[in-house]
């Protein structure tokens, strides 16, 4: 275990073997490149709040020939319990990412990569939508303008299965 407690990072194991086109040899690399590819694929074909793992979104690039270690289910369970996302090398299903835990130690929604990425996405969208409201008078008109900009964003994310519901509070209780 890394000793790191954060929902902004994740770790994966084992390393994977790829063919080095320059030397015509097989080399082992950390699975980072495969994870980044899976995240990009998820963003392009699905949404950032979908898990970049499993059969649909966790496949590794075709130049990956095998995982350094073929993990049993028990080994995968131990890794996952210790916040290490397994790379599975299966004869039936190929090589894929089989976990999406962050390095957060406390079991909460933010110990999942898709939830952290969802919140990052919402933060960016809300910040971009509301930047024009900065330095405006803090009154009911401002609050109404903020709600008019933010609620459609959250409704769209809800319609795309990112959240199941939301409530925006913009009143004297938090301003």
């Amino acid at each position: 275990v890394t000793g790191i407690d954060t929902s902004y990072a994740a770790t994966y194991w084992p390393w994977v073997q790829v063919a080095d086109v320059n030397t015509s040899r097989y080399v082992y690399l950390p699975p980072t490149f495969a994870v980044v590819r899976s995240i990009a694929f998820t963003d392009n074909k699905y949404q950032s709040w979908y898990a970049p793992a499993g059969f649909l979104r966790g496949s590794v690039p075709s130049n990956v020939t095998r995982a350094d270690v073929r993990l049993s289910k028990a080994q995968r369970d131990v890794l996952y319990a210790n916040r290490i996302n397994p790379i599975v090398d299966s004869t039936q299903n190929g090589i894929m990412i089989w976990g999406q835990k962050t390095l957060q130690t406390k079991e909460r929604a933010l110990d999942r990569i898709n939830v952290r990425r969802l919140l990052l996405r919402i933060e960016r969208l809300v910040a971009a939508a509301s930047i024009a409201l900065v330095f405006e008078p803090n009154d009911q008109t401002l609050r109404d303008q903020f709600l008019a900009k933010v609620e459609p964003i959250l409704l769209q994310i809800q319609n795309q299965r990112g959240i199941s519901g939301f409530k925006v509070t913009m009143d004297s209780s938090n301003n």
Side-chain angles (χ1 to χ4, degrees):
V1 181
T2 65
I4 299 171
D5 181 9
T6 182
S7 66
Y8 291 95
T11 189
Y12 296 81
W13 191 81
W15 285 29
V16 293
Q17 185 183 67
V18 297
D20 184 338
V21 295
N22 296 320
T23 64
S24 298
R25 292 184 168 185
Y26 289 100
V27 296
Y28 284 97
L29 298 174
T32 308
F33 76 97
V35 173
V36 170
R37 179 191 170 278
S38 177
I39 289 171
F41 174 77
T42 300
D43 287 355
N44 288 328
K45 297 289 184 182
Y46 298 90
Q47 293 291 345
S48 57
W49 48 83
Y50 281 72
F55 291 108
L56 297 178
R57 295 173 299 280
S59 62
V60 299
S62 59
N63 65 333
V64 174
T65 57
R66 64 184 294 262
D68 185 30
V69 175
R70 185 169 274 187
L71 300 167
S72 68
K73 182 178 181 330
Q75 290 170 318
R76 292 192 314 260
D77 291 346
V78 169
L79 287 172
Y80 206 63
N82 286 286
R83 302 173 295 141
I84 299 170
N85 296 302
I87 305 297
V88 173
D89 187 345
S90 164
T91 305
Q92 290 178 322
N93 302 310
I95 305 164
M96 70 187 82
I97 300 163
W98 202 252
Q100 66 141 352
K101 272 201 177 185
T102 67
L103 290 176
Q104 179 175 299
T105 56
K106 194 164 206 152
E107 289 189 24
R108 291 191 175 164
L110 284 175
D111 74 349
R112 299 291 187 259
I113 291 168
N114 68 316
V115 175
R116 169 47 67 200
R117 296 186 73 235
L118 165 66
L119 292 180
L120 289 169
R121 179 83 173 138
I122 290 171
E123 182 180 335
R124 284 190 301 270
L125 291 171
V126 169
S130 60
I131 191 70
L133 302 177
V134 175
F135 301 114
E136 293 303 307
N138 188 5
D139 57 14
Q140 191 59 48
T141 300
L142 174 70
R143 294 176 188 134
D144 293 342
Q145 289 172 338
F146 179 82
L147 291 173
K149 290 177 177 280
V150 171
E151 286 182 337
I153 293 169
L154 297 174
L155 184 59
Q156 182 179 17
I157 291 171
Q158 180 178 359
N159 290 338
Q160 294 173 334
R161 301 171 62 197
I163 53 179
S164 58
F166 66 90
K167 177 183 177 186
V168 180
T169 302
M170 184 76 171
D171 58 24
S172 59
S173 71
N174 60 2
N175 284 290

